[in-house]
Amino acid sequence: MGMTRTPPVDTHEACALLADKTKLTLLLHLAVEERCVSALTYDLNLPQATVSHHLGILVREGLVARRQAGRYAFFSLASDEPLGDDTLMSIATRTGSIPIRQRVRGT
């Protein structure tokens, strides 16, 4: 199955979305690798409904792509999203929000 996404938001709208800590944390985890909801729920220690809600907004706004594989949905950064990996990692470094896996990898 293909990826699902809408046209990307402009940079101003993307920054407004990043003001939400949960959405920013999800984007940082997805900058490391594609993830399913259950993995993100475990990593963020949040209820599944909360993770799904925020992912739905990020998909609808064009920052995150969704790929269906059987009964599982996998999420990744949209390839055409206005804030690239470098920008997200710069934000993460300044806010101390780098996901554990990224810190271990040393980047």
Side-chain angles (χ1 to χ4, degrees):
M1 303 242 170
M3 300 290 254
T4 302
R5 69 175 152 239
T6 58
V9 296
D10 66 26
T11 303
H12 180 271
E13 292 169 338
C15 289
L17 290 169
L18 294 178
D20 181 277
K21 183 178 179 179
T22 301
K23 290 179 187 72
L24 174 60
T25 304
L26 285 167
L27 289 170
L28 293 171
H29 280 266
L30 296 176
V32 175
E33 64 185 341
E34 179 183 66
R35 308 299 300 272
C36 66
V37 173
S38 61
L40 290 165
T41 297
Y42 177 81
D43 288 348
L44 276 62
N45 195 30
L46 291 172
Q48 181 270 326
T50 300
V51 172
S52 293
H53 170 75
H54 287 283
L55 284 171
I57 292 169
L58 292 170
V59 168
R60 186 177 69 239
E61 296 299 331
L63 293 174
V64 169
R66 180 182 187 271
R67 178 179 64 85
Q68 192 71 37
R71 64 184 195 137
Y72 294 99
F74 291 89
F75 297 86
S76 60
L77 290 183
S79 59
D80 54 356
E81 58 92 15
L83 298 171
D85 289 352
D86 292 341
T87 302
L88 285 172
M89 292 315 297
S90 177
I91 292 168
T93 301
R94 289 188 174 102
T95 62
S97 302
I98 301 173
I100 292 170
R101 288 184 180 185
Q102 192 71 14
R103 279 192 236 143
V104 171
R105 290 181 183 166
T107 56

